[in-house]
C-alpha cells in the first residue's frame, strides 16, 4: 500500500536525501541507547501540534522497522 506524506514533513524528519541532517536517525540512536539502558520500560512517543504530526510519523517508522529492541 502507498502512503502519502507531505514533502515538508518528510524532509524535516528524514532529510532531503542530499546528505542533510536526518533527524529520524539521530532520534533513533538516542531511543536505542535509552531502551538498552532501561530494559523492560515502555516507550511512548508523543508531541503537540507539529510535534504531534512528526511524532506520529516517527512512531509509525519505528514500528515498521519491527526491531526487537523496541
Amino acid at each position: 500500500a502507498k502512503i502519502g506524506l507531505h514533502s515538508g514533513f518528510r524532509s524535516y524528519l528524514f532529510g532531503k536525501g542530499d546528505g542533510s541532517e536526518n533527524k529520524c536517525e539521530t532520534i533513533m540512536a538516542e531511543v536505542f541507547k535509552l531502551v538498552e539502558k532501561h530494559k523492560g520500560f515502555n516507550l511512548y512517543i508523543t508531541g503537540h501540534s507539529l510535534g504531534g504530526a512528526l511524532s506520529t510519523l516517527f512512531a509509525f517508522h519505528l514500528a515498521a522497522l519491527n526491531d526487537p529492541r523496541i
Side-chain angles (χ1 to χ4, degrees), residues 7-36:
S7 63
F9 288 138
R10 187 207 169 285
S11 64
Y12 185 84
L13 188 60
F14 301 109
K16 296 177 182 174
D18 60 0
S20 60
E21 181 183 12
N22 184 328
K23 290 174 185 61
C24 184
E25 288 181 6
T26 302
I27 296 167
M28 282 195 319
E30 290 300 315
V31 166
F32 288 136
K33 284 182 202 174
L34 289 169
V35 298
E36 184 65 29

Side-chain angles (χ1 to χ4, degrees), residues 22-69:
N22 184 328
K23 290 174 185 61
C24 184
E25 288 181 6
T26 302
I27 296 167
M28 282 195 319
E30 290 300 315
V31 166
F32 288 136
K33 284 182 202 174
L34 289 169
V35 298
E36 184 65 29
K37 183 178 179 181
H38 303 284
K39 293 180 188 229
F41 279 66
N42 293 323
L43 176 65
Y44 297 92
I45 301 171
T46 65
H48 173 72
S49 195
L50 173 59
L54 294 170
S55 65
T56 299
L57 293 172
F58 177 74
F60 181 83
H61 178 74
L62 204 56
L65 292 177
N66 200 27
D67 191 302
R69 295 174 287 181

